[in-house]
Amino acid sequence: MNTTASHLISVAAKQFAEKGYSGASMRSIANAAGTTQAAIYHHFSNKNALYLAVLARHFDAKSSDMADDLAQVSDPEKRLKILVHRLLELVEEDEQFRQLYFRELLETDEERLRVLADNVFGELAVTLTELLKELAPRMDSHLMLLSLGGLVCHHLEARKLSPFLPGGKRKHQQLDVLAEHITELLLHGVQRS
Amino acid sequence: MNTTASHLISVAAKQFAEKGYSGASMRSIANAAGTTQAAIYHHFSNKNALYLAVLARHFDAKSSDMADDLAQVSDPEKRLKILVHRLLELVEEDEQFRQLYFRELLETDEERLRVLADNVFGELAVTLTELLKELAPRMDSHLMLLSLGGLVCHHLEARKLSPFLPGGKRKHQQLDVLAEHITELLLHGVQRS
DNA sequence: GTCTATAAGCCGATAGAC
DNA sequence: GTCTATCGGCTTATAGAC
């Protein structure tokens, strides 16, 4: 695999995630990668091709071995607990994934949304949907997928905002506190007797 | 109130929401507003000031009379149902609010996040937090606010993506289907007997 | 309060040397 | 495969007429 192109993708991913497509320039990407702007065009035909390469890498192979881990546990409650925890870890450790996902959500280009769904959500979404069907047979599994994804991503992305919101405390930054809240909400809702 | 400045803010809001800060140019905003780029500088000192004016308007006075509507209903279950419905309507009808909110979430500038929290979430967040304390006394009200906001905003924003995800059907676009799903999830979780 | 004109600089992309 | 140089165009912002 071409090492230079691969390195360019890594650097570009960081910049696209942080600054958005139009906020990141070929020049600044080249500088951060220690090369020149013109050199990028040897590896990618244009800026959009570079961006698509970034998406292809970061929205791929994210399925992880979640299904295998869950297969060992039989109690549904514990299974959901593990699922939420794994998913939070997965999405937390890859900040770029989260940022790129939210940026793509704001995109209106339909083909780009399709690429997003097929790649990210290709394997991972199918795995998750199957797990959710088992764990929540009573609920619409498609909407559950969106609820779970929304809860996990929004809680993580809103961590920066949390301190300024009513009741925001330090403990609300902790991953296990978030995991417990989401799990409890998903399992029993707000009204457990 | 200056009508020209006000009109500029409206036009700018649309463009910033759709294309982001660096994607929207002073020229394109001026063109859409039917004036010239230089004229904007008579009303706003620079691009950032225009952007802040957009945020100030769109993240303000969004509290609505949700609290009043809810005060008339005593049954907690119905109260939550109404809350979710109202919130979905509120956030659905103002697409720009949603887009600007997600874009600001991606922002790292701490002062900007503070402005966001104080303005948007100033009044509305306090109202919602109070309501959530009543409706979900067992749960952490701060995390509940983030869960509720995340569910509502993510479901609405992911509507474009939904058709490409596993199990996505036309009915999942309907506001009342989303409302029922979110309400059910919040009330009882996934495991109601 | 809006215009034209322009400054100074960054943008994506290409040409061609090495 | 990477460089320098450059093109045409667009960017924010300002100057000054009306």
Side-chain angles (χ1 to χ4, degrees), chain A residues 4 27 35-36 38-39 42-43:
Chain A
T4 311
R27 269 179 176 80
T35 181
T36 63
H42 179 76
H43 303 276

Side-chain angles (χ1 to χ4, degrees), chain B residues 5-70:
Chain B
S6 179
H7 181 226
L8 277 171
I9 290 176
S10 302
V11 173
K14 184 167 150 61
Q15 300 224 1
F16 283 134
E18 285 174 1
K19 302 188 260 182
Y21 183 80
S22 43
S25 75
M26 299 295 264
R27 263 181 179 78
S28 68
I29 291 168
N31 286 345
T35 182
T36 62
Q37 171 246 9
I40 300 181
Y41 287 85
H42 178 77
H43 303 275
F44 304 94
S45 58
N46 53 37
K47 188 182 181 180
N48 195 55
L50 174 59
Y51 185 69
L52 290 179
V54 166
L55 290 189
R57 165 177 307 180
H58 279 258
F59 288 158
D60 195 33
K62 218 161 185 41
S63 102
S64 85
D65 30 31
M66 217 160 347
D68 297 339
D69 289 352
L70 285 177

Side-chain angles (χ1 to χ4, degrees), chain A residues 33-47:
Chain A
T35 181
T36 63
Q37 173 245 10
I40 301 181
Y41 287 86
H42 179 76
H43 303 276
F44 304 95
S45 58
N46 53 37
K47 188 182 182 179

